């Protein structure tokens, strides 16, 4: 589980250059994934390739090129303890909003979505200290965990069980009580 302190530590360690508010929010989302234990395998143009989610490469990469495509951000992650299942994260800029979509590798996974108004998380003063460039960072992290990370965890643990009530979740301790549970048809 990411904390404001761990996310800010990732941001400070990477020392990214931000062009605008959307960059700041997209990078905070990326930092939340890293602080949650994910490993980055692709970003920028390589993350938008047709086989990005299914690439067998397990090489870790840096953030070079993460802003290579205007108004789009792409990242491919895995969790080392989870049989290297990958997660594809894409963000689209639309006016003041950053639309975030994620999909985990696996037969039971469904895309998850989050829309964020970047003005709620950006301090426009242009400060050089990373900590002072964000406002409501804890809320942003909470939104990403609740609406993206937890839902990805839930959908990747859905298993078909023969029962009178239909599909159920496998016995797994999930730390996301507010996450919507998806039960794929099939």
């Amino acid at each position: 589980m990411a904390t404001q302190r761990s996310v800010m530590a990732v941001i400070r360690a990477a020392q990214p250059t931000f062009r605008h508010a959307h960059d700041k929010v997209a990078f905070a989302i990326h930092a939340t994934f890293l602080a949650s234990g994910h490993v980055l395998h692709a970003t920028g143009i390589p993350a938008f390739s047709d086989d990005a989610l299914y690439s067998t490469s397990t090489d870790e990469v840096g953030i070079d090129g993460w802003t290579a495509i205007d108004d789009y951000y792409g990242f491919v992650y895995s969790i080392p303890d989870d049989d290297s299942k990958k997660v594809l994260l894409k963000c689209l800029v639309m006016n003041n909003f950053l639309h975030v979509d994620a999909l985990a590798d696996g037969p039971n996974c469904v895309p998850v979505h989050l829309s964020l108004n970047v003005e709620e998380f950006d301090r426009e003063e242009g400060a050089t200290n990373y900590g002072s460039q964000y406002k409501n960072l804890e809320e942003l992290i909470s939104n990403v965990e609740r609406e993206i990370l937890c839902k990805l965890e839930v959908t990747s643990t859905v298993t078909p069980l023969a029962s009178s009530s239909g599909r159920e979740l496998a016995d797994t301790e999930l730390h996301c009580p507010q996450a919507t549970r998806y039960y794929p048809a099939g």
Side-chain angles (χ1 to χ4, degrees):
M1 187 148 138
T3 64
Q4 183 171 339
R5 181 175 283 185
S6 63
V7 169
M8 190 52 63
V10 170
I11 294 169
R12 286 185 174 121
Q15 296 187 333
T17 301
F18 300 132
R19 301 170 298 179
H20 44 67
H22 295 90
D23 282 2
K24 292 178 194 176
V25 174
F27 202 86
I29 294 167
H30 163 66
T32 302
F33 269 74
L34 293 182
S36 297
H38 290 76
V39 174
L40 181 64
H41 297 290
T43 188
I45 294 170
F48 285 95
S49 72
D50 290 340
D51 65 345
L53 186 59
Y54 306 107
S55 170
T56 58
S57 173
T58 57
D59 295 342
E60 293 185 42
V61 300
I63 61 166
D64 294 338
W66 75 281
T67 58
I69 305 172
D70 287 341
D71 297 335
Y72 295 95
Y73 308 91
F75 305 92
V76 178
Y77 304 97
S78 71
I79 299 178
D81 300 338
D82 195 15
D83 296 328
S84 296
K85 288 186 180 179
K86 292 192 176 173
V87 174
L88 176 62
L89 177 74
K90 292 185 178 181
C91 305
L92 169 66
V93 173
M94 291 182 75
N95 295 327
N96 292 333
F97 286 87
L98 187 66
H99 299 282
V100 183
D101 291 291
L103 178 65
D105 182 16
N108 297 321
C109 296
V110 295
V112 294
H113 177 79
L114 173 64
S115 290
L116 298 166
N117 183 339
V118 297
E119 293 176 350
E120 294 178 15
F121 306 105
D122 174 47
R123 290 193 201 275
E124 297 180 22
E125 289 91 42
T128 56
N129 179 337
Y130 288 109
S132 61
Q133 292 184 29
Y134 290 94
K135 63 182 178 184
N136 304 320
L137 183 59
E138 193 169 324
E139 179 184 340
L140 174 60
I141 295 165
S142 176
N143 287 340
V144 171
E145 286 187 330
R146 184 182 60 249
E147 299 298 329
I148 301 290
L149 292 169
C150 289
K151 288 181 180 182
L152 288 172
E153 182 179 345
V154 169
T155 60
S156 68
T157 61
V158 173
T159 58
L161 299 175
S163 73
S164 59
S165 63
R167 299 202 182 262
E168 298 177 11
L169 290 178
D171 291 332
T172 297
E173 179 64 30
L174 298 176
H175 302 285
C176 309
Q178 298 172 351
T180 303
R181 287 169 171 74
Y182 291 93
Y183 301 93

